């Protein structure tokens, strides 16, 4: 039978999703549950002087009220800086201050409004610039005493700096002295939201013997176990986390957030089942968002366009707490150049506290933010050198033998081929070197280009695992810890097994829900690493199946295992394919005609531990943080009206080096989705705060997303440069479609309007303000 | 409309079946469908009428179940995604064209599209867009949904 790799396979869970049968966390019946709701802070920075729950707790049906004093713990992914419920101080408007548990949701909400909190407002900071000033209020006066989970995260005591990573390569002064053209630019991106359609939700219950059961909408069930265990001193074995379908995540469901609250609420009601589902408004203002970024960039190039040196300074606005942002500052530093060879390089990447909603990983893990800045600067530098923007990028594209910012020697295997991506993009766009074409007096067509790359920055010891069992009809069950968040990861894994075992993918069943007790640990369903990490584990399990079947086959046919072939769900001797044993007759052990048994039931396993990664050298940033990069080139074409600053997005295109195409349509659609999210985010999405530091855009009426009819034509093509240590040579691609899009849109608009675009989002109003020099009075 | 006060027992015609529910007059249809009837295909994406994940059909027309009081639905025919049966042309088309990723907005989109195909089988692309702009999808690029809907409309 032919291979399934490279075939268009429909998602395994397709029919569940079109029939209403797919169950998400809060689809579980509510009967038997108590309901929890959160009281949040109206102030961005204030001392909590008192909390009076007496009236609220007297309301009929209220079972418990929890404040920060009940469980004085600190939590955090890298640095334990966040009390799950604010204690003594609130650091952003929207921060949880109390949790009410009641018989119904209506009673819980009523009680929330009856809690009386007295605050003493403190001076707040709303930009990284303000936060770095000498007299800036300190958000975390105890910063130096916080427990560091990862030792390479080094907060600066008595400052608002949660962490810093830096890159030093070559000789900056010499590099700039060779430059013919130098540009210096500043950029600014405000925070925005993941906006998964499913809001965060969690259920918790504790049995009388102390077994904790959590059901949650999470990308990281195994991390929920670990963080609950470490925060509350519970043996990890007592915690079971279940994750059914997840209704979109985009990084926003990788941190542990509501799980802490539900657990504490559950403890307070003696383990009775508790349900906590936040409102959309809380999902935006209370739960973590995408970070903001300010950047200062200087790049120099020779007259032929060869870049000689660059300095990058990035200030990440992580909001009130650091969560995973220190590692985003690391990821940004490591990949700061984009897929270009810059021999002399300096990069400082700071993660800074402000009184904004705290932030967490977002599709692309910080890459789309810095890429907007770097690719806008590249565009200006190309122009200053008088070069075609595509040729300029090709001239500087990273090639085998070049050193990446973290001084890894680039190879086709670990980096892919950005030059080929650009070449293919040119063909796809029918590129003639003209960025702007006039349509009439007011309107122009403009095209913007941007390149992207990204490597994952997982912990150096991240794991994955897989178990394969069989059903009595010979069909196969694949068991992994991969969460189905919408990226179709498990279908890709099934394709890999189908190929390895030469069996029909229809006979492969996948376990879509994850239970941390039953499914082998998969680090997190993040960083687009399912194909690589789970893929490697799954391939080992498939090999284990083959070995077990061949051993049994050899016993049955009295030959050597090497003489046995497995294909089409059959086991046979290579030279006698017409005499075979069907899977259903062998996967539970084989019985001969006279009743004797041979072999054992097939239960196969494969596990994977990341190897060869290292922490960065603190001074130079030298070190290997991820297994490989994925590179790509993107373009956005717009029709811009110069009279009123409105524009229509006509086309968005991506050429991505995916290593190997596993599922063409599936991979294209993930990239389409990324481009769509990038266009939505860069053209309109923004967390707007009012003067009081409260979110002005906490719902979908004020926070606008792209709707149908506003989308352009999407085009995706692939380059296949294999990553040799990954199954079938495939690379990570789930997040990547978003990364270069804000920059490409910015470049198109800059060309069309003549406005030196340095901020997002690119609304007509913002463009008009930039052109006319009219600043917000706020 | 009848005046309701306190907890009241109502009868709703959901997916061609008469079902009883005890509700408060302020309960929205979405919560009653999900919590009392176990029909969780309609999703609470925003409970503010902005996202469309809770879309159901009322007498054949799309309605946001988060904006309809349960007591308002009395006397109307309610259809949820579970009532489509699984193999309507639009459900087949959504699978065929991969018109979803995480699946959370899918029930709502399916209901709008199904109503469009039934009521306006000759709709053009402009009219299709107007109908579908009530809903939001965060995962796909909409191109996939557009292709799926076009395949069940007659003249596109």
């Amino acid at each position: 039978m032919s291979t399934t790799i490279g075939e268009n396979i429909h998602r395994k869970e397709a029919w569940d999703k079109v029939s209403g049968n797919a169950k998400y966390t809060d689809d579980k019946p509510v009967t038997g549950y108590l309901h929890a709701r959160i009281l949040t802070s109206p102030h961005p920075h204030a001392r909590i002087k008192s909390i009076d729950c007496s009236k609220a707790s007297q309301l009929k049906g209220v079972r418990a009220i929890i404040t920060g004093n009940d469980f004085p713990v600190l939590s955090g992914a890298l640095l334990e800086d966040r009390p799950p419920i604010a204690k003594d101080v609130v650091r952003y408007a929207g921060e949880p201050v109390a949790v009410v548990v009641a018989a119904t949701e209506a009673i819980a909400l009523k009680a929330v409004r009856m809690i009386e909190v007295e605050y003493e407002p403190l001076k707040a900071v709303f930009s990284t610039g303000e936060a770095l000033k000498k007299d800036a209020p300190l958000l975390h006066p105890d910063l130096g005493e916080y427990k560091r989970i990862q030792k390479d995260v080094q907060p600066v005591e008595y400052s608002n700096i949660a962490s810093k990573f830096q890159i030093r390569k070559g000789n900056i002064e010499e590099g700039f002295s060779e430059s013919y053209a130098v540009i210096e630019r500043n950029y600014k991106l405000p925070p925005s939201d993941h906006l998964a359609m499913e809001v965060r939700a969690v259920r918790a219950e504790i049995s009388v013997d102390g077994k904790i059961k959590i059901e949650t909408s999470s990308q990281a069930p195994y991390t929920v176990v670990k963080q609950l265990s470490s925060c509350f001193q519970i043996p990890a074995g007592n915690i079971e986390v279940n994750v059914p379908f997840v209704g979109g995540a985009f990084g926003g469901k990788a941190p542990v957030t509501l799980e802490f609250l539900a657990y504490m609420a559950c403890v307070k009601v003696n383990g009775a089942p508790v349900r906590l589902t936040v409102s959309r408004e809380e999902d935006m203002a209370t739960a973590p968002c995408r970070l903001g970024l300010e950047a200062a960039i200087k790049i120099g190039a020779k007259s032929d366009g060869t870049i000689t040196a660059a300095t990058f300074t990035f200030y990440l606005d992580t909001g009130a707490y650091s969560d995973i942002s220190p590692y985003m500052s690391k990821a940004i530093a490591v990949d700061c150049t984009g897929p270009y060879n810059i021999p002399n390089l300096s990069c400082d990447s700071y993660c800074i506290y402000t009184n904004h909603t705290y932030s967490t990983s977002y599709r692309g893990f910080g890459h789309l933010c810095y890429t907007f800045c770097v690719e806008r600067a590249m565009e200006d530098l190309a122009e200053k050198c008088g070069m075609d923007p595509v040729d300029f990028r090709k001239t500087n594209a990273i090639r085998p033998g070049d050193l990446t910012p973290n001084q890894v020697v680039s190879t086709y295997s670990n980096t892919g081929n950005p030059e080929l991506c650009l070449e293919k993009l040119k063909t796809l766009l029918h590129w003639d070197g003209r960025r702007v074409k006039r349509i009439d007096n007011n309107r122009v067509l403009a095209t913007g280009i941007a390149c992207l790359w990204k490597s994952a920055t997982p912990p150096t010891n991240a794991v994955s695992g897989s178990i394969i069992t069989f059903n009595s009809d010979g069909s196969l069950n694949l068991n992994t810890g991969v969460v189905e968040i919408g990226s179709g990861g498990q279908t890709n894994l099934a394709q890999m097994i189908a190929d390895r075992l030469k069996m029909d993918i229809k006979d492969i069943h996948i376990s879509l829900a994850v239970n941390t007790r039953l499914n082998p640990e998969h680090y997190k369903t993040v960083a687009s690493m399912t194909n690589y990490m789970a893929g490697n584990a799954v391939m080992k399990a498939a090999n284990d199946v083959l070995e077990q079947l061949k051993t049994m086959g050899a016993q049955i046919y009295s030959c050597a295992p090497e003489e046995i072939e497995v294909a089409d769900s059959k086991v046979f001797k290579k030279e006698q394919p017409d005499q075979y044993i069907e899977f259903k007759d062998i996967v539970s052990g084989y019985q001969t005609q006279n009743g004797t048994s041979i072999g054992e039931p097939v239960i196969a396993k494969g596990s994977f531990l990341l190897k060869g990664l290292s922490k960065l050298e603190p001074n130079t940033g030298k070190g290997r943080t991820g297994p490989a990069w994925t590179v790509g080139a993107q373009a956005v074409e717009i029709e811009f009206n110069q009279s009123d600053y409105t524009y229509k997005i006509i086309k968005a295109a991506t050429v991505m080096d995916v290593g190997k195409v596993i599922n063409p349509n599936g991979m294209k659609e993930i990239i389409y989705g990324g481009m769509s999210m990038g266009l939505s985010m860069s053209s309109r999405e923004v967390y707007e705060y009012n003067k009081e530091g409260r979110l002005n855009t906490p719902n979908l009426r004020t926070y606008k997303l792209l709707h149908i009819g506003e989308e352009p034509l999407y085009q995706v093509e692939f380059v296949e440069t294999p990553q040799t240590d990954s199954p079938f040579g495939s690379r990570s691609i789930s997040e990547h479609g978003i990364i270069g899009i804000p920059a490409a849109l910015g470049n198109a608009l800059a060309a069309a309007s003549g406005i030196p675009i340095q901020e997002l989002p690119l609304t007509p109003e913002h463009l008009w303000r930039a052109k006319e020099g009219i600043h917000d009075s706020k | 409309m009848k005046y309701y006060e306190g907890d009241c027992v109502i009868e709703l015609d959901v997916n061609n079946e008469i079902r009883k529910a005890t509700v408060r007059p302020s309960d929205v249809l979405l919560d009653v469908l999900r919590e009392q009837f176990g029909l969780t295909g309609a999703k609470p994406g925003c409970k503010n009428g902005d996202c469309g994940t809770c879309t159901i059909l009322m007498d054949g027309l799309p309605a946001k179940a988060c904006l309809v009081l349960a007591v308002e639905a009395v006397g109307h025919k309610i259809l949820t995604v579970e009532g489509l049966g699984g193999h309507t042309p639009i459900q087949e088309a959504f699978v065929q064209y991969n018109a979803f990723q995480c699946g959370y907005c899918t029930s709502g989109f399916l209901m709008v599209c199904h109503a469009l195909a039934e009521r306006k089988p000759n709709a053009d692309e402009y009219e299709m867009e107007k109908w579908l702009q009530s809903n939001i999808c965060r995962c796909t690029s909409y191109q996939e949904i557009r292709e799926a809907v076009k395949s069940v409309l007659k003249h596109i």
Side-chain angles (χ1 to χ4, degrees):
Chain A
M1 97 161 254
S2 66
T3 174
T4 49
I5 298 295
E7 294 282 309
N8 289 318
I9 304 288
H10 291 305
R11 287 161 179 276
K12 280 282 179 184
E13 77 282 10
W15 288 101
D16 286 331
K17 286 182 174 171
V18 297
S19 61
N21 195 41
K23 298 291 181 195
Y24 302 78
T25 297
D26 204 32
D27 290 345
K28 201 175 170 181
V30 296
T31 317
Y33 279 87
L34 296 171
H35 301 259
R37 291 303 297 255
I38 310 170
L39 172 70
T40 60
S41 162
H43 300 287
H45 199 191
R47 191 164 304 289
I48 303 173
K49 289 174 76 178
S50 67
I51 305 181
D52 183 355
C53 301
S54 54
K55 281 182 198 154
S57 54
Q58 276 163 23
L59 189 67
K60 200 178 159 205
V62 171
R63 293 287 301 274
I65 299 177
I66 307 126
T67 68
N69 293 322
D70 289 301
F71 296 87
V73 294
L74 288 173
S75 70
L78 304 168
L79 177 68
E80 290 192 342
D81 58 3
R82 190 177 74 89
I85 303 178
K87 187 178 178 308
D88 305 331
V89 179
V90 290
R91 297 183 177 90
Y92 68 99
E95 181 164 6
V97 173
V99 177
V100 175
V101 191
T104 69
E105 199 166 7
I107 297 171
L109 277 171
K110 194 172 177 185
V112 159
R113 288 193 293 270
M114 290 165 73
I115 298 172
E116 290 167 5
V117 188
E118 207 186 330
Y119 296 98
E120 179 197 329
L122 300 171
K123 197 183 167 206
V125 288
F126 299 112
S127 72
T128 55
E130 284 174 51
L132 287 176
K133 283 185 183 155
K134 276 213 174 85
D135 59 345
L138 291 182
L139 267 77
H140 295 271
D142 299 331
L143 187 53
E145 283 153 42
Y146 289 154
K147 185 178 160 195
R148 289 180 293 145
I149 310 290
Q150 293 290 343
K151 299 296 175 226
D152 56 348
V153 175
Q154 295 187 337
V156 180
E157 223 175 339
Y158 308 115
S159 82
N160 287 315
I161 300 173
S163 72
K164 187 203 168 186
F165 287 90
Q166 67 179 43
I167 295 284
R168 296 288 182 273
K169 194 181 95 173
N171 185 321
I172 284 291
E173 286 74 30
E174 266 178 37
F176 278 116
S177 71
E178 292 167 19
S179 299
Y180 151 84
V182 176
I183 56 141
E184 287 185 68
R185 297 283 184 275
N186 292 295
Y187 300 95
K188 189 177 177 186
L189 288 75
S192 69
D193 201 36
H194 308 82
L195 228 295
M197 295 316 295
E198 180 204 23
V199 296
R200 294 162 176 91
V202 61
R203 305 281 177 99
E205 57 184 283
I206 307 170
S207 67
V208 283
D209 63 345
K211 296 272 193 300
I212 298 151
K213 212 168 167 179
I214 304 280
E215 182 138 350
T216 178
S217 177
S218 170
Q219 296 171 258
Y222 302 90
T223 309
V224 175
V225 173
K226 286 174 193 169
Q227 288 195 20
L228 278 179
S229 164
S230 92
C231 231
F232 298 102
Q233 316 288 314
I234 312 160
N238 280 5
I239 307 167
E240 173 186 316
V241 175
N242 288 279
V243 177
F245 280 106
V246 172
F250 313 113
K253 291 174 181 169
V256 185
T257 57
L258 295 186
E259 294 87 350
F260 292 124
L261 304 184
Y263 167 75
M264 294 188 284
C266 190
V267 169
K268 276 283 183 172
V269 293
N270 298 318
V274 171
R275 162 184 180 249
L276 172 58
T277 298
V278 292
S279 65
R280 173 58 68 188
E281 288 74 7
E282 289 160 348
D283 201 61
M284 296 182 75
T286 300
C289 63
R290 173 183 65 74
L291 51 75
L293 179 72
E294 289 187 47
I297 290 179
K298 182 181 174 190
I299 317 179
K302 291 182 188 167
S303 59
D304 66 355
T306 312
I307 297 174
T308 53
T311 58
F312 301 114
T313 314
F314 297 112
Y315 302 102
L316 286 68
D317 176 356
T318 185
Y321 300 103
S322 66
D323 193 68
I324 201 79
S325 296
Y327 271 12
M328 284 196 274
S329 73
K330 176 163 94 169
I332 286 175
V334 163
D335 285 354
C336 62
T337 52
Y340 304 109
N341 177 39
I342 302 186
N344 304 299
L345 179 66
S346 159
C347 173
D348 296 284
S349 182
Y350 299 89
C351 181
I352 294 169
Y353 292 117
T354 68
N355 293 105
H356 284 147
T357 305
Y358 77 107
S359 61
T360 189
S361 49
Y362 175 100
R363 193 176 201 157
F365 207 60
H367 284 63
L368 84 164
C369 299
Y370 90 78
T371 300
F372 172 76
C373 310
V374 171
E375 286 289 332
R376 282 287 304 122
M378 290 288 175
E379 190 75 4
D380 286 356
L381 188 57
E383 208 170 342
K384 200 162 181 183
C385 293
M387 282 182 77
D388 173 279
V390 181
D391 291 342
F392 176 79
R393 287 172 170 85
K394 274 174 72 181
T395 301
N396 291 294
I398 193 159
R399 293 178 178 80
D402 292 340
L403 282 185
T404 67
N406 52 331
Q407 302 189 40
V408 171
V409 179
S410 177
T411 65
Y412 278 131
S413 170
N414 71 16
T415 310
N417 192 335
E419 213 179 336
L420 196 52
C421 291
L422 280 162
E423 199 50 52
K424 259 191 133 161
L425 184 69
K426 259 173 114 166
T427 313
L428 187 62
L429 296 174
H430 308 292
W431 180 252
D432 61 3
R434 292 196 299 157
R435 291 187 296 182
V436 182
K437 290 166 190 164
R438 185 152 289 283
I439 304 168
D440 56 31
N441 271 346
N442 291 326
R443 294 177 306 149
V444 291
L445 266 183
T447 306
I449 309 279
C451 285
L452 67 101
W453 76 342
K454 179 181 183 293
S455 69
T457 35
T460 51
N461 59 352
V463 299
S464 191
S466 106
I467 298 167
I468 291 175
T469 58
F470 285 87
N471 302 301
S472 55
D473 62 353
S475 63
L476 179 155
N477 304 310
L478 171 62
N479 169 350
T480 67
V482 174
V483 179
E484 175 40 47
I485 53 175
S487 53
Q490 295 217 31
T491 303
N492 284 348
L493 297 176
Q495 272 183 274
M496 292 180 185
I497 295 187
D499 182 87
R500 188 76 189 99
L501 299 181
K502 298 179 191 158
M503 68 187 285
D504 193 329
I505 192 160
K506 286 198 192 76
D507 295 328
I508 297 177
H509 305 284
I510 52 185
S511 63
L512 283 160
V514 171
N515 174 325
T516 54
R517 229 183 255 304
L518 301 178
N519 302 90
E521 178 173 351
H522 175 67
Y523 159 57
K524 294 177 187 175
T525 307
V526 298
S528 313
M529 289 189 67
T530 298
N531 275 4
Y532 179 70
M533 287 184 45
N536 266 314
V538 158
M539 292 306 285
K540 279 190 193 169
N543 288 338
D544 189 11
V545 168
L546 282 181
E547 204 177 304
Q548 293 185 37
L549 288 174
K550 285 183 178 178
T551 306
M552 263 196 279
Q555 261 183 286
I556 296 160
Y557 289 113
S558 307
C559 64
E562 299 79 51
E563 293 174 63
I564 298 291
E565 179 72 272
V566 176
D568 297 322
S569 292
K570 291 166 190 152
V571 178
F572 49 90
K573 259 180 100 171
K574 275 177 193 161
E575 67 231 30
Q576 289 172 306
D578 49 337
Q579 286 180 31
Y580 52 80
I581 306 163
E582 290 184 59
F583 269 15
K584 69 179 172 60
D585 298 321
I586 193 168
V587 290
S588 306
Y590 182 73
Q591 238 186 0
T592 61
Q593 276 176 349
N594 60 18
T596 40
S597 300
I598 294 176
E600 286 108 28
V602 178
I603 299 175
K605 68 168 177 66
S607 52
F608 181 76
L609 171 66
L610 274 180
K611 293 198 181 73
L613 302 188
S614 60
K615 304 253 185 216
L616 299 180
E617 271 181 27
N619 293 328
T620 60
K622 187 176 174 181
R624 192 160 172 257
T625 49
W629 282 263
T630 301
V631 297
Q634 299 188 295
V636 173
E637 189 181 297
I638 56 157
E639 185 188 299
F640 181 74
N641 190 324
Q642 292 170 326
S643 69
D644 63 6
Y645 303 91
T646 58
Y647 60 94
K648 192 170 179 258
I649 307 165
I650 308 288
K651 191 200 279 182
T654 297
V655 178
M656 193 89 77
D657 191 341
V658 299
K660 173 74 189 171
V661 179
I662 304 285
N663 183 342
N665 282 344
M667 287 169 118
K668 273 185 188 170
E669 285 149 7
I670 287 292
I671 296 173
Y672 292 160
M675 290 198 276
S676 171
M677 199 168 169
L679 288 173
S680 183
M681 174 251 170
S682 52
S683 66
R684 62 202 69 197
E685 292 178 36
V686 58
Y687 265 26
E688 262 181 27
Y689 289 89
N690 65 15
K691 281 178 194 156
E692 286 76 40
R694 286 177 214 146
L695 194 57
N696 256 350
T697 51
N699 54 48
L700 289 165
R701 194 145 306 175
T702 50
Y703 185 98
K704 293 293 186 187
L705 300 177
L706 207 69
H707 284 65
I708 196 165
E710 297 172 311
E711 86 280 19
L713 170 71
Y714 291 101
Q715 293 179 314
V716 168
E717 284 195 10
F718 300 119
V719 166
E720 293 184 295
T721 311
Q723 179 186 334
T724 52
D725 63 338
S726 185
F728 305 96
S730 66
R731 292 175 188 279
S732 303
I733 61 134
S734 291
E735 303 161 271
H736 301 66
I738 197 172
I739 296 173
I741 289 295
L745 178 64
N747 287 341
L749 278 167
S753 67
I755 300 166
I757 286 164
Q758 291 171 303
E759 289 188 24
L760 289 182
L762 299 164
T763 63
E765 183 188 337
H766 282 113
L767 294 171
W768 168 75
R769 282 181 188 280
K771 182 82 171 181
E772 305 290 332
I774 297 165
H775 296 291
D776 209 328
S777 59
K778 202 171 64 186
Chain B
M1 206 183 101
K2 199 180 142 191
Y3 181 79
Y4 293 90
E5 199 175 0
D7 288 349
C8 39
V9 178
I10 56 170
E11 282 189 351
L12 293 174
D13 179 347
V14 181
N15 300 338
N16 287 321
E17 215 176 286
I18 304 296
R19 305 186 197 218
K20 275 192 176 154
T22 304
V23 304
R24 299 177 308 152
S26 57
D27 282 337
V28 293
L29 178 61
L30 175 64
D31 290 342
V32 174
L33 290 173
R34 290 175 55 82
E35 294 174 13
Q36 298 203 36
F37 303 156
L39 296 170
T40 55
K43 309 291 186 200
C46 71
K47 288 195 132 184
N48 199 37
D50 299 325
C51 78
T53 58
C54 66
T55 308
I56 47 105
L57 302 190
M58 247 172 109
D59 302 328
L61 280 174
K64 288 170 175 171
C66 74
L67 296 183
V68 178
L69 294 174
V71 294
E72 281 181 295
V74 174
H76 297 280
K77 286 188 83 64
I78 308 297
L79 187 71
T80 73
V81 70
E82 291 89 346
L84 287 181
H87 292 283
T88 57
I90 192 65
Q91 285 168 300
E92 302 269 359
F94 262 54
V95 172
Q96 186 59 35
Y97 290 90
N98 302 326
F100 51 88
Q101 287 180 23
C102 82
Y104 201 78
C105 73
T106 311
S107 306
F109 267 103
L110 283 169
M111 298 318 286
V112 179
C113 298
H114 180 72
L116 176 66
E118 295 273 302
R119 293 255 166 167
K120 305 255 182 173
N122 299 314
D124 61 15
E125 212 151 338
Y126 177 77
E127 191 165 19
M128 178 197 89
E129 281 177 10
K130 292 292 146 204
W131 275 61
L132 267 59
Q133 276 173 350
S134 57
N135 291 43
I136 299 172
C137 171
R138 186 60 155 170
C139 299
T140 74
S141 72
Y142 293 119
Q143 193 163 275
E144 306 85 329
I145 296 175
R146 180 184 290 270
E147 292 306 313
V149 184
K150 278 163 73 174
S151 78
V152 300
L153 294 176
K154 286 188 178 145
H155 290 305
I156 302 185

